[in-house]
Amino acid sequence: QLQLVESGGGLVQSGGSLRLSCAASGFTLDLHAITWFRQAPGREREGVACISSGASTIKYVESVKGRFTLSRVNAKSTVYLQMNALKPEDTAVYYCAAARSQSADFCTILSETRRYHYWGQGTQVTVSS
């Protein structure tokens, strides 16, 4: 079965850190661009960070720049989202998504959800004030 599996979510106090992982099962991630999305109750799904297949391009939404770091280890078919200095407004369900693209320009558009071939089930991140 081809799927993405997220892990690492949880409850943390404001200012704390979490590291989310997105692992591929049944396929490899090396030919895929990966984006982390998040969705808070009553809000649209938002692209948070994107990394191209070769990691030459990484893009972040403005609200997380300087706090979140996206990286990938293709040999492990895993992508990591390190989240530091978390704020209550970061509270959401976080999803990773994979698109079969090797373009370095893939991450130019961050919140377009229709381009992705695989989605994870989501992991809850809750930041208390």
Side-chain angles (χ1 to χ4, degrees):
Q1 186 176 1
L2 309 180
Q3 60 180 348
L4 295 172
V5 180
E6 300 107 334
S7 60
L11 173 64
V12 65
Q13 289 187 334
S14 182
S17 297
L18 286 172
R19 188 178 80 156
L20 304 184
S21 298
C22 171
S25 176
F27 69 106
T28 59
L29 285 181
D30 56 334
L31 300 181
H32 295 75
I34 306 296
T35 297
W36 281 95
F37 290 83
R38 65 186 179 186
Q39 188 165 21
R43 303 192 66 175
E44 292 188 355
R45 193 165 294 192
E46 171 189 41
V48 175
C50 176
I51 186 168
S52 61
S53 62
S56 61
T57 303
I58 303 176
K59 183 175 180 178
Y60 301 93
V61 70
E62 192 64 33
S63 61
V64 308
K65 283 181 180 178
R67 300 188 297 121
F68 289 12
T69 303
L70 185 58
S71 62
R72 64 190 299 157
V73 180
N74 282 343
K76 295 184 177 181
S77 283
T78 302
V79 172
Y80 303 98
L81 183 67
Q82 178 67 44
M83 306 187 297
N84 298 329
L86 283 161
K87 304 175 181 180
E89 52 262 44
D90 295 317
T91 295
V93 178
Y94 284 70
Y95 301 88
C96 65
R100 289 191 294 267
S101 171
Q102 298 178 65
S103 170
D105 294 330
F106 180 88
C107 296
T108 301
I109 301 173
L110 199 53
S111 285
E112 174 54 69
T113 60
R114 293 174 295 179
R115 301 183 295 165
Y116 295 86
H117 302 91
Y118 305 102
W119 287 84
Q121 81 287 352
T123 185
Q124 177 71 46
V125 171
T126 303
V127 185
S128 63
S129 57

